[in-house]
Amino acid sequence: LEVRVLRGEGDQGTTLAHSPDGRRLAVGFWNGIVELWDLPSGEVRRLGRLAANVEDVDFSPDGRLVAAAGADGVARLFEADGDAPPRLLGGHGAGVVRARVSPDGRHVATASWDRTIRLWDLASGELVRVLTGHEQPIGALALAPGGARLYSGAADGAILVWDVAGGPPRRIGGQAGFVTDLHVSPDG
């Protein structure tokens, strides 16, 4: 087992995600920096800098895009291997705390303290729909394999399941406190 220490420009890492091939890490920092770390070579490359801290990062299934959720209320889509400016996914009324790319690569979902989820077309960056139904700020977001269902959790412990195609959410349970993370089993 080889241990390697990688250091970037960021200050206090807040989130990370492995690329689908396991060779890279997207890392977000408190000071707004988003970096891409190549694990085999040790190379660290800055993708960009947000106006506020980075709350979440996620890769597209093909590893070509990195979604970053910003406390400034805007999520960004960075090209993992390019230098183009990021696509901005705005419109939330408060900080974006989660950004998740669907396993089928069609959508990116962003969740905010404003109690909404925004579903975006990954290819175009266009807003598909706004999902409302939480009574408290959202802290967790997960997409099911295939991308047909979305799960969200909030500060009041509510966990909702959404049909990405549309319709009202269904409450499937909850807990006594803030839901800050959700994962969906591989079989959905």
Side-chain angles (χ1 to χ4, degrees), residues 24-97:
R24 300 189 285 187
L25 287 177
V27 184
F29 293 91
W30 186 254
N31 62 358
I33 291 175
V34 180
E35 292 178 339
L36 192 64
W37 295 7
D38 185 82
L39 299 176
S41 72
E43 178 186 334
V44 176
R45 186 170 70 85
R46 182 193 273 204
L47 294 178
R49 186 169 196 160
L50 283 58
N53 57 299
V54 182
E55 297 284 345
D56 195 23
V57 291
D58 194 25
F59 276 94
S60 61
D62 62 8
R64 293 179 46 233
L65 296 174
V66 174
D72 60 352
V74 179
R76 290 152 177 90
L77 290 174
F78 293 96
E79 290 182 4
D81 295 314
D83 293 322
R87 285 187 277 163
L88 303 180
L89 307 176
H92 282 290
V96 179
V97 295

Side-chain angles (χ1 to χ4, degrees), residues 98-109:
R98 295 288 174 256
R100 291 285 183 261
V101 181
S102 64
D104 64 4
R106 293 182 56 215
H107 298 104
V108 60

Side-chain angles (χ1 to χ4, degrees), residues 107-118:
H107 298 104
V108 60
T110 57
S112 171
W113 287 102
D114 70 4
R115 302 184 318 261
T116 68
I117 298 164
R118 290 178 175 265

Side-chain angles (χ1 to χ4, degrees), residues 145-164:
R149 284 187 314 280
L150 185 145
Y151 298 84
S152 58
D156 59 0
I159 298 173
L160 302 181
V161 61
W162 309 79
D163 182 340
V164 170

